[in-house]
């Protein structure tokens, strides 16, 4: 019923850029916030960036100044523009949506992830 589809991952050299996209679809009444998490080799899952429907954003210290999260509420889509990529940015990136279903319950849904590999 609810789908989150991430795209845009791939192999990129250090200093390069990638743009991730996540499109939400299905029986969603409203989306309060969407976010990007990541989990790299040997690391715990961490919050990378989050954005509310009103445009308020939050970033991990490690990506501030390099990554930008944005959204298109009409399309229920969130983006993550990643610039000046570093080796330590290598991870599986997961999109999440914090939403209300049609019964009025707050839910969180996770995408399956997209792999970003930064390597020379």
């Amino acid at each position: 019923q609810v789908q989150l589809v991430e795209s845009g991952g791939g192999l990129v050299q250090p200093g390069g850029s990638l743009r991730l996209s996540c499109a939400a679809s299905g029986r969603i009444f409203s989306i309060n916030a969407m976010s990007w998490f990541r989990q790299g080799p040997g690391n715990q899952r961490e919050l990378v960036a989050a954005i509310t429907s009103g445009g308020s954003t939050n970033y991990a210290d490690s990506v501030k100044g390099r990554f930008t999260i944005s959204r298109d509420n009409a399309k229920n889509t969130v983006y993550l523009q990643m610039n000046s990529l570093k080796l330590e940015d290598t991870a599986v990136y997961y999109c999440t949506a914090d939403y209300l279903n049609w019964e009025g319950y707050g839910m969180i849904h996770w995408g399956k992830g997209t792999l970003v590999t930064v390597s020379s």
Side-chain angles (χ1 to χ4, degrees), residues 2 12 23 30 33 96-97 107 111-112 117 119:
V2 177
V12 64
S30 64
T96 71
M107 307 285 287
K112 293 183 178 180
T117 302
S119 177

Side-chain angles (χ1 to χ4, degrees), residues 92-120:
V92 177
Y93 285 72
Y94 299 92
C95 173
T96 71
D98 181 1
Y99 68 98
L100 296 178
N101 65 16
W102 286 18
E103 289 73 39
Y105 291 102
M107 307 285 287
I108 186 166
H109 190 74
W110 291 73
K112 293 183 178 180
T114 185
L115 177 63
V116 173
T117 302
V118 184
S119 177
S120 60

